[in-house]
Amino acid sequence: MKHFINLKDIPAKDLRKIIVDTKKRKNLRKKLSTLEVDKGSPLKGKMLVQMFEKASSRTRISFYLAIKQLGGGTLTLRSNELHLGQGGESISDTAKILSTYGDGFMLRTDSDKKIEDFKKYLSIPIINGLSPSSHPTQVLSDVFTVEEITKKPISKLSISWIGDSNNVLDSLIAASVKFSFKLSIGCPKKFEPGKKVRDWVKKNKRKIFIYNNAKEAVKGADVIFSDKVISLNDKINKKKKIEQFKKFKINKKLISFAKKNCIFLHCLPRGNEVSDEVFLGKKSHVWQQALNRVHVQKSILLYCFGKLR
Ligand code: CP
Ligand code: NVA
């Protein structure tokens, strides 16, 4: 049984296999409409339970479509509707019940420990749909999108991240090690990636490049990534943090320091870290990026269900 919790814990060859499958599968369903099932119905009869302790638009809808297109079904829950969320039932009992009714479990939570606890008691695969330390399904999908648009292996590209050191960046850092691409990060000193993640990069004999200057961080970039400065349930002084990121706004001027044909990606939802002109402009591929979540998550589901060929 394969879980999908953190990119850093998944072998690079498995991650590549998922992307190769996505490419094949996406091509094959060009003429199919939204809810038509892929040939062979590979997850026929399977049910994915997805539970959200935090808001979600894309992850929720894209997982629904992903399992549907593979012939299975999904049940979406909010934790406060369960005895677990009300504090009246343990994780171990809830996990046992989920394993009795369902075939896979996707969880978006504010607690990395909760994912690990569920993993301990589940007898079905668990997928991390965003946690404080990781957003692995988003970032694997983003690797696919980058390669789809540029038609180059990501290892040949220079990737920049302008923004907070958050869960999405942590997964992007893990991806930079697994897929061997150059990653430059632009953020204020106070918001640089933590020691734990930097030590992990070092241990894996790779390097990330950190700049406290946005212009330096995007120089020569093929791809510029960003995310909201204020993440879901961020408990800090929001006004102050936004002010600290003022010089890291992605606008046309900043993009002009990257490669001429560079692309802009953003996982959404967005705040004011990027100008409308860039976000809605020609270099931006954010809608294609969001759609690809469906395609990549299908291959992630197949991987977890032991059906990836
Ligand atoms: N990008 C992303 O995960 O979006 P949602 O929060 O809407 O799921
Ligand atoms: N970093 C953001 C990502 C949202 C998809 C958050 O955690 O809220």
Side-chain angles (χ1 to χ4, degrees):
M1 184 171 64
K2 304 252 200 267
H3 302 290
F4 197 86
I5 300 177
N6 286 306
L7 295 184
K8 68 178 175 53
D9 301 323
I10 302 171
K13 68 169 189 355
D14 288 5
L15 296 173
R16 178 50 75 188
K17 211 169 153 190
I18 292 171
I19 286 192
V20 169
D21 183 73
T22 304
K23 196 170 169 190
K24 256 191 288 180
R25 207 162 269 287
K26 186 175 175 186
N27 264 334
L28 282 172
R29 63 170 293 122
K30 269 191 182 137
K31 293 199 178 105
L32 298 186
S33 54
T34 314
L35 285 178
E36 272 182 280
V37 176
D38 283 8
K39 195 168 164 234
S41 245
L43 292 188
K44 187 172 170 197
K46 301 286 184 195
M47 190 188 44
L48 175 74
V49 179
Q50 41 173 354
M51 187 166 88
F52 293 87
E53 297 188 334
K54 301 165 93 169
S56 168
S57 305
R58 284 144 287 269
T59 306
R60 171 192 306 252
I61 301 168
S62 56
F63 264 105
Y64 171 86
L65 291 175
I67 188 111
K68 281 273 183 188
Q69 290 183 2
L70 293 169
T74 183
L75 175 68
T76 301
L77 306 168
R78 296 214 45 116
S79 61
N80 62 3
E81 296 162 348
L82 305 191
H83 291 284
L84 171 78
Q86 303 287 336
E89 192 158 19
S90 64
I91 288 187
S92 57
D93 287 358
T94 307
K96 179 83 186 144
I97 290 302
L98 292 173
S99 309
T100 304
Y101 295 133
D103 301 288
F105 181 46
M106 200 230 62
L107 177 63
R108 170 169 288 196
T109 175
D110 245 342
S111 159
D112 286 299
K113 183 173 180 302
K114 195 175 268 183
I115 298 188
E116 287 306 318
D117 287 348
F118 263 114
K119 179 180 153 194
K120 199 153 91 197
Y121 299 112
L122 286 166
S123 51
I124 56 176
I126 182 166
I127 297 173
N128 179 355
L130 184 147
S131 71
S133 75
S134 180
H135 196 2
T137 62
Q138 174 73 55
V139 169
L140 189 60
S141 178
D142 294 347
V143 171
F144 174 79
T145 302
V146 166
E147 295 192 339
E148 180 177 63
I149 294 167
T150 63
K151 299 189 172 48
K152 285 185 184 150
I154 198 166
S155 58
K156 299 236 176 315
L157 301 172
S158 179
I159 311 292
S160 292
W161 169 274
I162 302 296
D164 193 19
S165 291
N166 61 17
N167 41 11
V168 180
L169 177 59
D170 273 10
S171 289
L172 191 63
I173 291 172
S176 79
V177 170
K178 296 286 171 176
F179 290 95
S180 307
F181 60 80
K182 185 183 174 204
L183 178 61
S184 304
I185 296 159
C187 61
K189 180 105 192 111
K190 186 167 176 240
F191 297 95
E192 288 182 358
K195 185 169 162 19
K196 201 170 153 199
V197 61
R198 281 187 283 125
D199 284 350
W200 179 80
V201 172
K202 236 187 252 164
K203 209 178 104 199
N204 283 277
K205 302 190 172 32
R206 295 280 312 172
K207 228 179 141 176
I208 47 173
F209 301 86
I210 303 174
Y211 303 92
N212 301 133
N213 176 302
K215 196 172 116 186
E216 290 297 320
V218 301
K219 248 187 211 163
D222 296 287
V223 183
I224 300 176
F225 273 103
S226 191
D227 185 12
K228 269 179 104 156
V229 169
I230 309 292
S231 278
L232 284 164
N233 304 3
D234 220 340
K235 289 190 182 65
I236 46 100
N237 181 332
K238 295 181 183 154
K239 236 171 117 184
K240 193 169 158 201
K241 191 171 175 188
I242 288 172
E243 182 62 30
Q244 285 163 316
F245 271 90
K246 227 167 111 189
K247 291 197 179 134
F248 292 83
K249 179 147 182 157
I250 298 154
N251 50 30
K252 246 185 143 177
K253 172 119 200 286
L254 182 64
I255 294 243
S256 72
F257 295 104
K259 278 202 187 133
K260 214 172 159 207
N261 59 349
C262 91
I263 60 168
F264 174 76
L265 295 175
H266 189 301
C267 64
L268 289 154
R270 65 172 153 144
N272 61 359
E273 64 284 346
V274 52
S275 70
D276 269 2
E277 197 180 14
V278 169
F279 191 85
L280 303 170
K282 281 208 181 98
K283 291 184 180 302
S284 170
H285 295 267
V286 294
W287 313 120
Q288 181 176 348
Q289 179 186 7
L291 176 65
N292 279 338
R293 298 282 306 275
V294 177
H295 297 291
V296 176
Q297 281 158 200
K298 285 166 70 178
S299 306
I300 291 173
L301 285 167
L302 290 169
Y303 169 74
C304 289
F305 283 92
K307 300 247 178 182
L308 198 66
R309 301 279 164 250

